[in-house]
Amino acid sequence: MPDQDDDGSIGLVDFGCVKYLGADFVAYLRSVYLYPGSRDSVEFRRLLGSPFIRSGEKLTPATRRALIRFSENFYRKVYPPELEKQAVPFDFSDPTFLQDFMKESSNLFRAKGAMADYLLMVRAEIGLYHTLHRLGARVLTSQIVRKHLA
């Protein structure tokens, strides 16, 4: 349910996709969202696989490729890791953004191997980003990630 404040900002509460995310998973999200190096690097691949190793599961090559593509083609753009870009708002009104996000989301779901919590996040983002797109929102996304996923 949207609510507009006196300063023109809008608050949105959606209880359709609610889940507690543990501290380890939140730290993982922050490191993946704001990873500063190449998404093709050995270090990033190790980072992607770290939750799987802890849980005793195996990250399949197809899932790894889907996660790398998702991170490179989506998170790197929406949440730029460079500190100097945290003051630059991301423009959700760009129609190619939403098309690219849906394509990468679909690829990730088809890979069948990503963590359930990660897929839940992507599903929640689908609704959120559709709303932000319709509003033509410009959001300081990297600043928000640094603040709330610290």
Side-chain angles (χ1 to χ4, degrees):
M1 167 177 269
D3 177 43
Q4 186 170 357
D5 291 334
D6 292 338
D7 67 357
S9 64
I10 297 173
L12 178 67
V13 178
D14 178 1
F15 293 104
C17 191
V18 178
K19 179 175 178 26
Y20 174 79
L21 300 174
D24 286 344
F25 186 70
V26 171
Y28 170 76
L29 286 176
R30 183 174 193 274
S31 65
V32 171
Y33 283 6
L34 297 174
Y35 185 77
S38 167
R39 301 312 209 259
D40 283 329
S41 70
V42 171
E43 183 181 339
F44 188 71
R45 290 171 188 256
R46 182 193 53 74
L47 177 64
L48 282 178
S50 62
F52 292 88
I53 292 169
R54 282 193 298 272
S55 69
E57 298 176 37
K58 184 171 172 98
L59 179 60
T60 67
T63 302
R64 178 179 287 115
R65 283 190 303 275
L67 287 167
I68 289 170
R69 283 185 50 89
F70 194 80
S71 180
E72 183 64 36
N73 296 325
F74 178 66
Y75 287 134
R76 186 172 199 77
K77 294 175 185 175
V78 178
Y79 308 103
E82 298 84 9
L83 284 174
E84 64 273 9
K85 291 184 179 179
Q86 76 174 341
V88 178
F90 183 80
D91 184 2
F92 284 93
S93 68
D94 178 3
T96 59
F97 151 75
L98 201 53
Q99 292 166 355
D100 292 346
F101 175 72
M102 294 307 294
K103 177 183 173 190
E104 293 303 330
S105 297
S106 179
N107 291 338
L108 188 60
F109 286 119
R110 277 197 307 269
K112 295 181 184 176
M115 296 173 294
D117 286 348
Y118 197 85
L119 294 176
L120 176 86
M121 288 290 302
V122 173
R123 289 188 69 208
E125 288 169 330
I126 289 171
L128 173 63
Y129 297 150
H130 272 280
T131 300
L132 293 172
H133 175 73
R134 284 194 313 263
L135 291 171
R138 294 174 44 87
V139 180
L140 296 171
T141 50
S142 288
Q143 215 172 70
I144 292 168
V145 166
R146 282 183 170 80
K147 178 180 176 183
H148 294 288
L149 292 182

